[in-house]
Amino acid sequence: FFSSRRRHTRSLCDWSSDVCSSDLVAGVQAQLADGKYILDFNKSSIVWSAKKVTGSGHTGTVRVSSGVVYVKGNAGITGKVKIDMNAMAVTDITDAGTNANFLNHLKSPDFFNTVAFPDAMFEVTSVQVVKGNNGTTHNVTGNMTIKGITKQLSFPAKITGGGNQIFVEGSVAVDRSQFDVKYGSTAFFDNLGDKAIDNIFTLNVKLVGDLKK
């Protein structure tokens, strides 16, 4: 997510330096045209991973149900991503019965209580151009809502644009204990031993948005 009223693709930052001038930063942001970008849920994906404190864990997906990003020149970027928690899937358990039991537990009140809270939401509040590791280009800050609880979080992202599209890739670390996801959490229970589940789970996000004409 990045912004400017100008569009050009010339070289903009000397990445051997830790600091870009304001003109260079504006140039990086200029890869996107102003306007409203609608997220394509068929091309967007979110892969989750979680683990026990012993190291073993599970992976799966959740579905982007809708989303929009507004690019407004010097006013910056806003946006929202809505996640369908009932479309959660487990991808690492091959036995159908075991997979179904585990998935139903994740959807239960022990974890995300998807009957009562069918959607999660992330609302972007600020985006900064930064020099990051592993190709990241920006730092995204926003409000994450899970189980009706909203907390601020930030994550590094690789954001590119062109051809009337926006592309966002990032890895988001979420502390489930902040969202009342208590099962197996040392934040709520003592003496769990090797049954304790790490409070941090990760969302590997890939978003594709199309400029609305």
Side-chain angles (χ1 to χ4, degrees), residues 132-176:
N133 297 322
N134 302 319
T136 57
T137 56
H138 296 74
N139 193 66
V140 178
T141 299
N143 294 320
M144 176 71 85
T145 301
I146 300 173
K147 295 181 70 175
I149 299 169
T150 301
K151 298 290 183 180
Q152 186 182 82
L153 57 80
S154 299
F155 63 95
K158 178 182 179 181
I159 305 176
T160 56
N164 293 324
Q165 288 187 308
I166 183 171
F167 306 94
V168 182
E169 296 183 40
S171 182
V172 187
V174 182
D175 183 348
R176 66 188 179 96

Side-chain angles (χ1 to χ4, degrees), residues 12-15 17-25 28 129 131:
L12 298 161
C13 260
D14 177 4
W15 293 110
S17 171
D18 288 337
V19 179
C20 297
S21 73
S22 59
D23 286 343
L24 297 183
V25 169
V28 172
V129 177
K131 175 188 176 183

Side-chain angles (χ1 to χ4, degrees), residues 7-189:
R7 297 184 69 186
H8 56 80
T9 57
R10 65 186 177 84
S11 178
L12 298 161
C13 260
D14 177 4
W15 293 110
S16 65
S17 171
D18 288 337
V19 179
C20 297
S21 73
S22 59
D23 286 343
L24 297 183
V25 169
V28 172
Q29 295 173 327
Q31 296 177 54
L32 286 179
D34 285 1
K36 179 180 180 180
Y37 292 79
I38 305 298
L39 294 186
D40 186 334
F41 60 83
N42 288 316
K43 295 179 180 178
S44 300
S45 64
I46 301 177
V47 177
W48 60 262
S49 60
K51 58 184 176 62
K52 290 185 175 181
V53 294
T54 56
S56 62
H58 295 285
T59 59
T61 60
V62 287
R63 181 175 177 270
V64 175
S65 56
S66 64
V68 61
V69 176
Y70 295 97
V71 179
K72 298 180 180 179
N74 293 334
I77 297 295
T78 58
K80 290 183 179 181
V81 180
K82 188 177 181 180
I83 301 168
D84 183 354
M85 297 299 289
N86 280 307
M88 187 187 312
V90 178
T91 56
D92 69 301
I93 300 176
T94 57
D95 179 77
T98 303
N99 188 302
N101 288 336
F102 182 65
L103 180 58
N104 287 336
H105 194 195
L106 289 179
K107 292 181 178 181
S108 77
D110 278 346
F111 285 94
F112 295 99
N113 196 4
T114 61
V115 171
F117 304 100
D119 300 307
M121 183 77 72
F122 183 73
E123 182 173 2
V124 177
T125 56
S126 70
V127 177
Q128 293 180 319
V129 177
V130 296
K131 175 188 176 183
N133 297 322
N134 302 319
T136 57
T137 56
H138 296 74
N139 193 66
V140 178
T141 299
N143 294 320
M144 176 71 85
T145 301
I146 300 173
K147 295 181 70 175
I149 299 169
T150 301
K151 298 290 183 180
Q152 186 182 82
L153 57 80
S154 299
F155 63 95
K158 178 182 179 181
I159 305 176
T160 56
N164 293 324
Q165 288 187 308
I166 183 171
F167 306 94
V168 182
E169 296 183 40
S171 182
V172 187
V174 182
D175 183 348
R176 66 188 179 96
S177 68
Q178 293 187 338
F179 299 94
D180 199 39
V181 182
K182 297 180 179 180
Y183 188 87
S185 171
T186 55
F188 299 98
F189 304 104

